[in-house]
Amino acid sequence: MTIRPIIRYPDRRLASPARPVTVFDDGLRELAQDLLDTMRAAPGIGITAPHIGVPLRVVVLELDSKDGPRTYVNPEITWASPEMILHREGSVSMPGVNDEVQRHARVRISYQDVDGNMQSEESDGLRAVCHQHEIDQLDGMFWLQRLSRLKRERLVKRFEKMWRGRA
């Protein structure tokens, strides 16, 4: 079990697009396990490799204990419903602040598993929101960028104040 340090907002690495995974080996499986351990310790329900400073397209989600954790390698949205929903979002890289973000109600993604096998999944509700949120992160788009400038500035000020008090 390895819990890795999480990069904090506004680290510039969070704004850099991640590279596709091309090698499917024990190193990738170890990265996926480290992501899961780090996410659980944070705590969170989703994490990407860039959150721990690894610029690869890897996502781990664990939305409930019944389904267990899922790893998505090189995920891409292939379809999104026209219907939209609002959902409260935050980030393990910016703990303590969150706000409502508008997302597609349903999405279909294609991805690879840790062995390199192609998969697809259609999701709705929270899982669809998480897919969109984490794929945005892999593309270098931090969730705050989906908010109005005023909301974004308020949240950044709140986050900075919270973390100044802990230093």
Side-chain angles (χ1 to χ4, degrees):
M1 178 171 158
T2 303
I3 298 171
R4 301 217 202 162
I6 294 174
I7 292 172
R8 296 285 179 225
Y9 178 86
D11 192 299
R12 291 173 42 166
R13 291 173 287 180
L14 295 170
S16 298
R19 297 187 317 268
V21 171
T22 56
V23 177
F24 295 81
D25 61 5
D26 287 341
L28 177 61
R29 283 182 275 288
E30 184 179 312
L31 172 61
Q33 186 61 52
D34 289 354
L35 284 168
L36 178 61
D37 295 339
T38 303
M39 179 189 71
R40 285 174 172 166
I45 59 172
I47 194 168
T48 66
H51 282 116
I52 61 169
V54 178
L56 292 174
R57 295 186 71 83
V58 181
V59 172
V60 172
L61 296 179
E62 187 172 38
L63 305 183
D64 60 48
S65 57
K66 174 179 58 107
D67 282 341
R70 295 189 194 176
T71 300
Y72 303 88
V73 181
N74 300 325
E76 300 291 338
I77 295 172
T78 59
W79 173 83
S81 70
E83 303 87 34
M84 305 296 282
I85 58 173
L86 281 175
H87 197 278
R88 190 160 288 280
E89 297 184 27
S91 174
V92 294
S93 289
M94 195 178 194
V97 297
N98 55 64
D99 208 329
E100 288 193 331
V101 177
Q102 186 169 322
R103 299 280 187 181
H104 296 278
R106 294 186 324 279
V107 296
R108 184 177 311 116
I109 64 167
S110 64
Y111 66 97
Q112 291 168 281
D113 61 24
V114 293
D115 297 315
N117 301 308
M118 287 303 300
Q119 307 284 333
S120 72
E121 179 177 310
E122 194 163 318
S123 58
D124 60 9
L126 178 59
R127 188 169 298 276
V129 166
C130 289
H131 285 313
Q132 293 167 84
H133 175 103
E134 303 302 357
I135 290 171
D136 271 358
Q137 183 62 64
L138 294 177
D139 293 340
M141 177 182 271
F142 198 67
W143 71 279
L144 288 179
Q145 292 172 262
R146 296 266 180 202
L147 301 176
S148 70
R149 190 173 129 208
L150 179 61
K151 282 185 172 186
R152 189 170 48 246
E153 287 173 357
R154 281 188 195 152
L155 287 175
V156 168
K157 283 181 183 173
R158 185 180 321 147
F159 179 69
E160 288 170 347
K161 185 178 179 181
M162 283 174 32
W163 283 93
R164 266 196 313 268
R166 295 179 186 196

